[in-house]
Amino acid sequence: MAKRRMRPDDHYLFRNVSDPQISPNGKLVAYVQSWSDRDADETRMAIYVAPADGRSPVRRITQGDHDHSPRWSPDGKYLAFVSSRSDKNQLFVAPLDGGDPRQLTTAKHGISQPAWSPDGRRIAYSARVGRHKSEADKTPIERAAPRVIRDLRYKLDGIGFFDERRLKIFVVDVQSGKQKQITKGDYFDDQPAWSPSGRSIAFVSDRQPKRHERQWRSDVWVVPATGGRPRKVTRSRGSAAQPTFSPNGRQIAFVGHENGDSGLAKNVQMTVVSAAGRGAPIPVSESIDRSVAGWPAFAFGRTFEWSRDGKSLLFLAADRGTQALYRADVKGKMVVKVLDGERQIEGFSLGPNGRLIAFGAVWLTQPPEIYTTTLNGRSREANVSHANDELKSAVALGRVERVKSRGRDGLEIESFALYPAGYKRGKAIPLALNVHGGPHGYHPSRGWSDFQSLAAAGYVVLLPNPRGSVSYGETFSERVVRDWGGEDYEDIMGAVDTMVGRGIADPDRLYIGGYSYGGFMGTWAVGHTDRFAAAVVGAPVSNQVSMFGTGDIPLFDIHEIGGTPLDDPDEYRLRSPVTYLEKVRTPVLLVHHEGDLRCPIGQSEEIFHALKVLGREVEFVRYPGGFHTYNTHTPSQVIDRIERTLAWYKSHASRRRSAKKPIAKAVARPSVASRR
């Protein structure tokens, strides 16, 4: 049967897979599969188990609507997981030989991050404690009470406003169900990890006096598994995530940095520190000049593991748009790439022999799946999940290629071009440019349904990695700091020029879209050139001054722009797209969620109000709820955004210039060279 073109509502066929976990005997792989439920209009999650050799069908082993975080017991007889089937996220244990899961916790505010003790008798987890009432439980007077803010760090996108609750480490006895709080105090403690002896638990926490005045800072701490006084093993100079003891218990590996508050442009390192806290943390990944995955979050599973002999670490790092698996020698710091390819490996699990590996991977032309292979290179990879077989059998997917261009200063810039299925060279077609977020993100990002739907509609989708993008080295990533809208903009326009110059992109049918920093760049671009027929601007940064004053990470703005708006108001004005809205002639579609705390919806309101007063063509789509992060948007909202993007571009397809007329040059902007 012939395959058809992808449609926006094929998002309902799309399956995401993550968090692979190999069983202790190496024969099974547990993982999370998630999908969009059309009727409930929400994302469902369940745990599946597949044979590690991929020769038998997978089996769904949990039946809740939101089951995740599968963790094998050390003997392989049980699978612990987190489920919201009893309203809040609670810890369950399911026997692998059949029978109903048993609920172990009844935490008032739910739990997360389960970790089995080495002897299989206890499970550590994180849970919030503190006096707190839900809105439904409050009296009318309590609901009307003010929120009093005294700290700079009082809200965070994806979480909301902080309250009296604090995240703590707990341990539960698997047999009796008895629970004990291990850490205490006015701190956020999470990511528990057991020592091999079972006597200690490592965790991450920021316990410094100024912890409420900054973001993304933490140390590795170690506490007795029975409770007691924690001891710090890192130096409070940066941040840490995923602490993991070495097999002999003498060292702790973590993903992090000692860059202080100097921003997200610098590489995150695979780091090792003495479990006793003696000596400085040692980065073992520096030689590859790439940022290691897993900080500040690790949503798709483990991003590193110790080798079974404790002599090396396997970890994931971004490399020129891909994400590959590396091995670092802990003593010699020699780093080699052991598993790569044109794909992004997102999370992995090492088998008991240290050679078998299960991993999740995705690419623009391949939806997510779980694979297994051996690290000796002697076995073929096996797709064990087959989660997206239905989608791939029904839909013709476009092909992707790398495209090289040059920035204005000669710097090489790499982009990814996604072509419509069946496209043949020789015909110029419309181009849909998409700018990634960050600015220290990179393409191809996870806008899988968006990009394939655009390609299916006949667009070549251009995904550039301008300076500022990670995966090309620290120097490249830092080039955008204090230069937003400078050479990064020229890099992007140079990529467009390359596609036009090669006869692939029709110069009269150029479109631009982007989200977050990509929304900043979309707004910046239409204020500096009229080459684009239409723009879709998602959750942008439009005014650097109000962004500093209303967003959830003001220290990020201080580093990226340079000082506060009080220190250098001219620089903040210069780097704000609203400064140039009078120049806009391009029709603009704004899309934004009302619950966004990272780039608050006021950033779009400023654009909308100005363009309406100026008499420009603009439309504003406000989605209820949601945070800035995509995983908080409902399936119907995702599909609606894709459909509106396609309709906006199509409705402005007739805005063509004569082929004989020169393409309009970029609108002149104030020089920033003199400000460096």
Side-chain angles (χ1 to χ4, degrees):
M1 184 175 70
K3 294 183 179 182
R4 58 173 174 79
R5 291 186 175 186
M6 186 163 175
R7 303 184 299 255
D9 65 355
D10 285 325
H11 184 71
Y12 288 118
L13 292 179
F14 183 84
R15 300 289 184 265
N16 191 37
V17 290
S18 60
D19 203 3
Q21 301 285 328
I22 296 180
S23 63
N25 64 9
K27 295 181 178 180
L28 299 172
V29 181
Y31 60 92
V32 178
Q33 181 168 309
S34 59
W35 64 96
S36 298
D37 186 298
R38 188 190 298 263
D39 295 331
D41 196 26
E42 65 179 19
T43 300
R44 303 292 201 196
M45 291 180 286
I47 296 170
Y48 287 70
V49 170
D53 59 12
R55 295 177 181 175
S56 302
V58 302
R59 151 172 94 97
R60 179 175 174 176
I61 65 166
T62 67
Q63 303 305 317
D65 293 335
H66 299 94
D67 301 335
H68 56 90
S69 305
R71 299 294 182 265
W72 294 98
S73 62
D75 61 8
K77 295 180 180 180
Y78 299 91
L79 196 65
F81 63 95
V82 177
S83 176
S84 63
R85 62 188 65 188
S86 59
D87 186 27
K88 300 292 184 181
N89 278 330
Q90 302 294 348
L91 180 62
F92 291 77
V93 173
L96 265 292
D97 58 1
D100 294 330
R102 180 166 60 98
Q103 183 173 336
L104 285 184
T105 63
T106 55
K108 182 179 180 180
H109 307 299
I111 74 102
S112 61
Q113 304 167 341
W116 286 88
S117 64
D119 61 10
R121 296 179 180 179
R122 297 162 292 171
I123 298 176
Y125 60 89
S126 300
R128 288 188 291 180
V129 300
R131 291 189 301 170
H132 178 76
K133 286 186 178 181
S134 66
E135 289 299 309
D137 293 334
K138 290 179 180 179
T139 67
I141 292 178
E142 287 174 328
R143 284 196 290 270
R147 178 183 286 115
V148 180
I149 307 297
R150 296 187 177 92
D151 302 318
L152 182 63
R153 183 177 179 263
Y154 66 92
K155 62 182 178 180
L156 188 65
D157 192 78
I159 294 178
F161 286 83
F162 294 120
D163 50 42
E164 301 87 353
R165 293 172 293 178
R166 296 293 182 264
L167 202 59
K168 297 298 163 196
I169 307 299
F170 284 75
V171 168
V172 60
D173 184 279
V174 176
Q175 187 65 35
S176 68
K178 184 179 180 181
Q179 302 161 46
K180 182 176 182 179
Q181 182 177 334
I182 303 302
T183 62
K184 300 177 181 180
D186 182 26
Y187 315 109
F188 292 88
D189 308 325
D190 64 346
Q191 301 176 27
W194 292 86
S195 66
S197 68
R199 297 174 183 171
S200 302
I201 295 174
F203 65 96
V204 298
S205 182
D206 184 1
R207 297 188 166 212
Q208 295 301 299
K210 294 184 178 181
R211 60 188 177 278
H212 298 306
E213 310 302 324
R214 58 191 189 180
Q215 299 96 15
W216 297 324
R217 294 289 292 271
S218 58
D219 283 292
V220 176
W221 294 75
V222 175
V223 65
T226 55
R229 185 173 182 176
R231 54 183 173 82
K232 187 175 63 171
V233 299
T234 51
R235 303 190 293 182
S236 301
R237 297 183 182 182
S239 188
Q242 302 188 62
T244 305
F245 281 92
S246 61
N248 63 12
R250 296 173 184 171
Q251 296 174 298
I252 297 175
F254 64 92
V255 177
H257 64 80
E258 288 195 326
N259 299 324
D261 296 319
S262 61
L264 302 178
K266 293 184 177 296
N267 288 339
V268 175
Q269 302 291 347
M270 184 76 255
T271 308
V272 175
V273 67
S274 163
R278 302 188 186 99
I282 302 172
V284 299
S285 58
E286 281 184 319
S287 63
I288 62 172
D289 189 26
R290 294 291 185 267
S291 200
V292 174
W295 179 90
F298 44 105
F300 301 109
R302 293 288 308 185
T303 62
F304 77 86
E305 282 204 39
W306 285 92
S307 63
R308 295 297 172 251
D309 61 8
K311 295 181 179 180
S312 61
L313 283 157
L314 291 161
F315 63 91
L316 298 177
D319 181 33
R320 297 179 59 243
T322 69
Q323 192 156 277
L325 182 70
Y326 294 80
R327 178 186 284 113
D329 178 81
V330 174
K331 289 186 177 180
K333 300 186 186 180
M334 184 177 70
V335 183
V336 294
K337 189 180 290 186
V338 295
L339 192 63
D340 56 4
E342 288 290 274
R343 59 188 175 185
Q344 292 168 354
I345 301 174
E346 296 183 320
F348 73 94
S349 174
L350 203 58
N353 61 9
R355 295 188 298 275
L356 177 68
I357 185 174
F359 62 94
V362 65
W363 194 238
L364 272 175
T365 52
Q366 289 292 329
E369 298 289 358
I370 302 295
Y371 302 88
T372 58
T373 190
T374 56
L375 295 178
N376 57 16
R378 298 173 186 170
S379 64
R380 299 181 63 182
E381 293 180 4
N383 179 345
V384 301
S385 57
H386 296 281
N388 283 293
D389 283 359
E390 181 181 359
L391 175 65
K392 290 188 289 186
S393 65
V395 174
L397 302 176
R399 66 176 180 85
V400 65
E401 73 172 4
R402 293 175 183 263
V403 177
K404 299 291 180 62
S405 59
R406 294 284 177 183
R408 184 168 59 177
D409 59 357
L411 183 67
E412 182 177 272
I413 303 300
E414 190 168 55
S415 304
F416 293 85
L418 178 65
Y419 295 93
Y423 170 76
K424 295 180 180 179
R425 293 288 174 84
K427 179 183 179 181
I429 59 176
L431 178 144
L433 167 68
N434 182 277
V435 183
H436 64 65
H440 308 297
Y442 64 96
H443 270 319
S445 63
R446 256 183 162 263
W448 205 92
S449 298
D450 304 61
F451 302 150
Q452 284 289 350
S453 293
L454 281 164
Y459 298 86
V460 54
V461 184
L462 182 63
L463 307 171
N465 282 330
R467 68 194 69 202
S469 307
V470 297
S471 80
Y472 294 87
E474 187 170 280
T475 298
F476 189 91
S477 180
E478 289 190 300
R479 283 178 179 266
V480 76
V481 175
R482 305 192 182 188
D483 192 35
W484 285 39
E487 296 301 325
D488 52 346
Y489 167 71
E490 302 296 343
D491 293 344
I492 289 166
M493 297 308 296
V496 172
D497 290 340
T498 295
M499 296 297 286
V500 171
R502 291 172 60 182
I504 297 170
D506 182 344
D508 292 328
R509 291 182 293 171
L510 304 177
Y511 304 87
I512 185 170
Y515 189 87
S516 194
Y517 166 80
F520 159 88
M521 187 54 70
T523 312
W524 184 275
V526 297
H528 289 78
T529 181
D530 63 358
R531 292 177 61 181
F532 295 105
V536 176
V537 173
V541 175
S542 65
N543 185 335
Q544 300 287 4
V545 176
S546 57
M547 180 68 184
F548 170 82
T550 61
D552 65 334
I553 50 172
L555 299 184
F556 173 81
D557 304 307
I558 291 174
H559 177 75
E560 291 286 323
I561 306 303
T564 71
L566 298 176
D567 298 325
D568 196 343
D570 290 341
E571 184 71 4
Y572 268 74
R573 181 189 61 81
L574 188 68
R575 302 295 177 183
S576 298
V578 293
T579 302
Y580 311 98
L581 291 180
E582 193 277 330
K583 302 290 186 181
V584 173
R585 299 295 182 272
T586 304
V588 174
L589 174 68
L590 295 159
V591 292
H592 214 136
H593 276 74
E594 293 178 337
D596 193 331
L597 295 179
R598 181 61 41 84
C599 300
I601 198 166
Q603 296 294 301
S604 284
E605 290 173 336
E606 293 192 42
I607 299 171
F608 181 73
H609 290 176
L611 292 182
K612 289 300 290 185
V613 169
L614 290 167
R616 309 293 192 262
E617 184 178 357
V618 60
E619 190 171 303
F620 189 9
V621 179
R622 300 173 64 110
Y623 293 107
F627 287 108
H628 192 68
T629 51
Y630 272 7
N631 62 0
T632 64
H633 305 167
T634 71
S636 67
Q637 291 172 340
V638 172
I639 293 169
D640 182 81
R641 186 190 69 246
I642 298 172
E643 290 176 338
R644 289 182 185 276
T645 298
L646 291 169
W648 189 255
Y649 288 172
K650 183 178 180 180
S651 67
H652 295 91
S654 60
R655 186 178 177 264
R656 299 175 62 94
R657 305 175 181 86
S658 169
K660 296 181 181 179
K661 292 179 66 179
I663 300 171
K665 295 182 179 179
V667 177
R669 64 183 177 87
S671 173
V672 296
S674 61
R675 305 187 62 82
R676 294 294 144 257

